[in-house]
Amino acid sequence: MRALLVLLGLVWLVSGCAMTAASAHRLAPVEQRVPVLLVHGIGDDASAFDSLRARLEQSGWPHVHAISLRPNNGSAGIPILARQVAREAEALRERTGARRVDVVGFSMGALVTRYWVQLLGGRLVVRRFISISGPHAGTGLAFLGRGKGVAQMRPGSRLLRTLQEDPRPWGSMEVHSFWTPWDLTILPASSSRLSGASERRFPVLLHPWMLTDRRVHDAVVDVLGSPAVAR
């Protein structure tokens, strides 16, 4: 067991170095960066993004905003939460005068963002969407919970089928899927993969650590700061 833990630690460190090196390119000038909206997962609020928001602000982003969804316990359906994201994105655009925004969604927040993008017109105003450990094909863990939103995150739910049947889900958006194969909340972990998205995998040991891991932060800065479409 001790040898296994040491091996996992070495993989974690080596992978972290590789990711940092891969993301160390020149970022677009600040004036070319669009406002960023952060959408949290179940049981969280805007504070879940404190470390990522700080990293983006330290890297020069002038407008980074995290929404607090209400309710945040999965009792409300995904469409209700998606309309909150739509209103928050529109308010962010009005405050900043920006034509488009970038969105980072974590866990349930990634699915909420996806619903807004695909079915409520979000793809018309979103430039880049990063999904971090979202349950896009559902999670078996949702069978253990109650609430309309939780039920909609169960594999094979009507909501998930509707999203998956959309033949052109993204429009002109750029979409990225970040996930960890060691996720114990999104079951199976591969449910976080998203068709049509550029994909990055991270050897992060726990689901919530995806929001605080330095390598994930580096990748978010890399993607959102890229001066060109990173396909």
Side-chain angles (χ1 to χ4, degrees):
M1 177 60 72
R2 183 175 180 180
L4 177 60
L5 291 175
V6 171
L7 178 60
L8 291 176
L10 288 173
V11 169
W12 188 85
L13 288 172
V14 171
S15 300
C17 293
M19 179 59 67
T20 301
S23 62
H25 64 57
R26 184 177 60 84
L27 300 178
V30 170
E31 60 271 16
Q32 293 180 13
R33 304 183 201 176
V34 304
V36 180
L37 180 63
L38 307 173
V39 186
H40 65 78
I42 193 168
D44 285 332
D45 57 26
S47 66
F49 281 106
D50 282 353
S51 62
L52 177 57
R53 181 173 55 213
R55 171 64 191 279
L56 287 169
E57 290 173 347
Q58 291 165 4
S59 298
W61 266 262
H63 303 291
V64 183
H65 178 69
I67 184 175
S68 284
L69 299 171
R70 294 290 182 266
N72 68 346
N73 60 0
S75 60
I78 299 297
I80 290 174
L81 302 178
R83 285 191 281 273
Q84 294 179 34
V85 175
R87 290 193 295 269
E88 205 74 18
E90 189 57 32
L92 182 58
R93 291 174 64 222
E94 289 181 3
R95 287 198 306 272
T96 61
R99 187 174 65 89
R100 305 184 81 176
V101 297
D102 289 340
V103 186
V104 180
F106 171 66
S107 195
M108 182 185 72
L111 186 60
V112 169
T113 301
R114 181 183 173 190
Y115 188 95
W116 165 55
V117 161
Q118 291 187 227
L119 300 180
L120 300 180
R123 58 185 150 196
L124 299 178
V125 299
V126 175
R127 184 188 68 151
R128 290 173 177 158
F129 167 37
I130 298 178
S131 166
I132 301 178
S133 297
H136 297 296
T139 172
L141 205 61
F143 287 109
L144 302 180
R146 290 192 285 181
K148 190 166 186 177
V150 172
Q152 290 170 334
M153 290 189 286
R154 293 170 183 166
S157 74
R158 179 179 299 178
L159 181 138
L160 292 179
R161 291 198 309 270
T162 297
L163 293 173
Q164 290 161 359
E165 290 166 1
D166 187 348
R168 299 189 64 187
W170 311 127
S172 62
M173 285 174 46
E174 182 183 328
V175 184
H176 298 261
S177 174
F178 295 178
W179 63 286
T180 170
W182 296 346
D183 204 317
L184 297 179
T185 299
I186 307 301
L187 300 174
S190 59
S191 287
S192 291
R193 304 183 75 176
L194 193 52
S195 179
S198 296
E199 184 177 296
R200 300 194 192 192
R201 288 188 294 177
F202 300 84
V204 175
L205 296 179
L206 294 175
H207 181 76
W209 290 0
M210 287 290 286
L211 278 189
T212 56
D213 191 275
R214 176 179 55 83
R215 296 161 297 182
V216 178
H217 289 186
D218 288 346
V220 171
V221 169
D222 178 52
V223 166
L224 298 187
S226 174
V229 175
R231 281 291 185 184

